[in-house]
């Protein structure tokens, strides 16, 4: 599989990474056996980047990865872990904690749950507004020195925070939502990353399934499914967003590809410093996603895609109001 670098200082990884969040959280029930089989299929296909968060399923996601990696060579895999988001026993959210003592605490638990002695890329999931980012990054940098963390990443922060963090320790990559429907990163953040030699791991490349070509308006969501409260899936916005998907389907058909493959290939085409994370949680979805690597979009394709889904065309914000408040990247 094609390899890409996570920034100037980061690891070399497969051009597509696997995000495992939905295997434990936020998208309704998942099947652990199928999740492990999907991780195995990804590794066997050449995917080397696995992205998780310690708060996905309150630790469940890390334990799932540990289970999937049992008997495999740990050194073949780059594990990216987000920390800092606080949960409660009902699955609710309680803000973010980026204090140095919290960093050490989170890391201790993640290492144990992942059954490993190091994490390849460790990143705060959000900026904790009550802690200067220098303190959070400084605490991770101490763990780099101690050999428990290899690289430091960021998630959903804006240009100024990126510069401040990078001044403390080289940042490998910024994880941020980037898709045909979410292009805010193109305004300032992407240029800042490129100036500083920081890569981008793009998430939500299928806009959480909305842009997959498989979404239907009558899909029933279980309680706790993130998409039940996402503005882009709301009754008011869904029809308009699905019209964009149908326009994209026309482009996909002309290339003998699926909507999901075109959406992922578009993110891949943004530059060699962008690594899309696909959120497949079943092997059939993974196979479809990996097919995007076979699809090279030429200028005519890109122009047709732009006509189908112009920048800024999405109806609704990418998170609901209170969650938008946590995005330093949107300030
Ligand atoms: N840094 C952050 O703030 C942040 C936030 C969110 C996610 N992430 C990371 O990014 C990863 C990917 O994000 P995401 O799950 O939101 O991404 P996504 O790729 O936009 O959405 C994944 C969902 O799309 C649906 N889908 C339909 N067809 C698919 C196909 N062919 N291939 C893959 N998925 C298909 C699946 O939902 P169904 O199975 O329900 O059909 C799947 O769970 C996460 O696992 C996580 O590691 C990071």
């Amino acid at each position: 599989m094609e390899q890409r670098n996570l920034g100037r200082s980061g690891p070399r990884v497969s051009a597509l990474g696997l995000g495992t969040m939905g295997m434990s959280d936020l998208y309704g029930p998942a099947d652990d056996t199928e999740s492990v089989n999907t991780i195995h299929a990804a590794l066997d296909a050449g995917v080397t980047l696995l992205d998780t968060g310690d708060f996905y399923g309150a630790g469940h996601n890390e334990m799932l990865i540990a289970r999937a990696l049992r008997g495999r060579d740990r050194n073949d895999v780059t594990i990216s872990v987000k920390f800092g988001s606080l949960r409660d026993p009902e699955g609710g959210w309680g803000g973010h904690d980026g204090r140095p003592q919290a960093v050490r605490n989170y890391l201790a638990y993640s290492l144990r749950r992942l059954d490993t002695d190091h994490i390849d890329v460790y990143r705060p999931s959000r900026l904790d507004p009550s802690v200067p980012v220098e303190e959070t990054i400084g605490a991770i940098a101490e763990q780099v020195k101690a050999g428990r963390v290899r690289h430091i990443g960021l998630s959903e922060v804006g240009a100024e925070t990126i510069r401040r963090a990078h001044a403390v320790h080289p940042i490998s990559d910024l994880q941020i939502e980037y898709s045909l429907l979410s292009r805010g990163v193109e305004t300032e953040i992407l240029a800042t990353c490129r100036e500083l030699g920081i890569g981008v791991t793009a998430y939500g490349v299928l806009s959480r399934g909305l842009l997959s070509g498989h979404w239907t308006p009558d899909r029933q969501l279980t309680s706790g499914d993130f998409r039940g409260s996402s503005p882009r899936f709301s009754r008011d916005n869904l029809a308009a967003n699905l019209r964009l998907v149908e326009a994209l389907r026309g482009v996909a058909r002309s290339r003998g590809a699926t909507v999901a493959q075109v959406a992922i290939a578009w993110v891949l085409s943004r530059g060699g410093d962008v690594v899309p994370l696909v959120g497949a949680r079943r092997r059939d979805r993974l196979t479809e996603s990996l097919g995007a690597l076979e699809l090279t979009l030429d200028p005519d394709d890109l122009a047709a895609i732009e006509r189908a889904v112009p920048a800024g065309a999405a109806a609704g914000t990418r998170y609901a109001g209170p969650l938008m408040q946590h995005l330093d990247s949107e300030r």
Side-chain angles (χ1 to χ4, degrees):
M1 188 178 296
E2 181 195 334
Q3 305 288 301
R4 294 186 173 190
N5 240 70
L6 291 187
R8 275 202 287 272
S9 68
R12 200 156 175 75
V13 296
S14 51
L16 284 184
L18 180 67
T20 55
M21 176 183 83
M23 296 175 180
S24 302
D25 217 345
L26 291 156
Y27 294 154
D31 177 287
D32 280 0
T33 303
E34 181 58 20
S35 297
V36 169
N37 288 338
T38 303
I39 296 172
H40 285 166
L43 299 174
D44 293 343
V47 170
T48 61
L49 173 64
L50 298 180
D51 182 74
T52 182
D54 62 7
F55 48 90
Y56 292 159
H60 176 269
N61 206 237
E62 292 180 317
M63 293 190 284
L64 197 66
I65 288 179
R67 179 175 149 192
L69 293 185
R70 225 164 276 150
R72 303 241 168 184
D73 188 346
R74 166 73 183 85
N75 296 316
D76 290 344
V77 186
T78 297
I79 304 179
S80 152
V81 180
K82 292 179 291 299
F83 69 87
S85 296
L86 303 171
R87 305 296 300 265
D88 65 33
E90 279 85 41
W93 299 87
H96 305 279
D97 190 345
R99 294 171 304 147
Q101 62 268 44
V103 171
R104 292 188 284 274
N105 172 75
Y106 292 129
L107 180 64
Y109 281 78
S110 282
L111 290 171
R112 183 57 73 95
R113 280 189 295 253
L114 284 163
D115 192 20
T116 184
D117 62 356
H118 72 279
I119 287 169
D120 299 279
V121 187
Y122 201 48
R123 68 183 86 238
S125 58
R126 296 284 182 269
L127 180 69
D128 176 348
S130 63
V131 177
V133 71
E134 288 82 358
E135 289 183 17
T136 307
I137 301 300
I140 311 175
E142 281 170 17
Q143 300 302 325
V144 174
K145 275 204 199 98
R148 298 186 195 100
V149 169
R150 296 268 160 89
H151 304 279
I152 304 180
L154 294 169
S155 170
E156 286 291 357
V157 291
E160 190 198 324
T161 303
I162 295 169
R163 287 185 193 284
R164 285 174 53 183
H166 191 68
V168 175
H169 188 279
I171 299 298
S172 59
D173 65 298
L174 169 71
Q175 193 169 111
I176 193 160
E177 187 166 359
Y178 192 13
S179 73
L180 277 164
L181 295 182
S182 301
R183 300 199 219 170
V185 63
E186 291 173 349
T187 312
E188 186 189 8
I189 292 173
L190 195 53
T192 305
C193 287
R194 286 182 171 153
E195 178 197 325
L196 300 174
I198 296 171
V200 169
T201 41
Y203 77 81
V205 292
L206 297 181
S207 205
R208 305 174 181 272
L210 178 58
L211 204 46
S212 67
H214 300 294
W215 199 267
T216 53
D218 56 355
R219 182 163 162 167
Q220 298 296 314
L221 295 175
T222 54
S223 76
D225 192 315
F226 166 87
R227 298 167 293 201
S229 57
S230 165
R232 290 191 176 162
F233 290 84
S234 76
R235 194 191 305 249
D236 291 347
N237 294 326
L238 186 60
N241 288 328
L242 287 179
R243 277 196 291 279
L244 300 171
V245 175
E246 287 318 303
L248 194 61
R249 198 186 300 277
V251 183
R253 279 208 188 102
S254 73
R255 287 299 316 265
T258 68
V259 174
Q261 288 166 347
V262 170
I264 296 167
W266 181 86
V267 180
L268 278 165
S269 76
R270 298 304 87 196
D273 52 356
V274 178
V275 174
L277 298 172
V278 298
R281 42 192 199 154
R282 300 196 326 237
R283 283 167 289 177
D284 57 336
R285 298 291 201 224
L286 174 75
T287 303
E288 180 183 15
S289 296
L290 295 179
L293 290 162
E294 312 299 319
L295 188 64
T296 305
L297 301 172
D298 65 24
D300 288 343
D301 296 325
L302 292 170
I305 290 169
E306 190 63 37
R307 282 193 298 277
V309 189
T317 51
R318 56 197 186 91
Y319 284 88
L323 295 178
M324 286 294 277
Q325 302 295 319
H326 295 298
L327 299 180
D328 183 63
S329 51
E330 294 284 339
R331 298 228 166 81

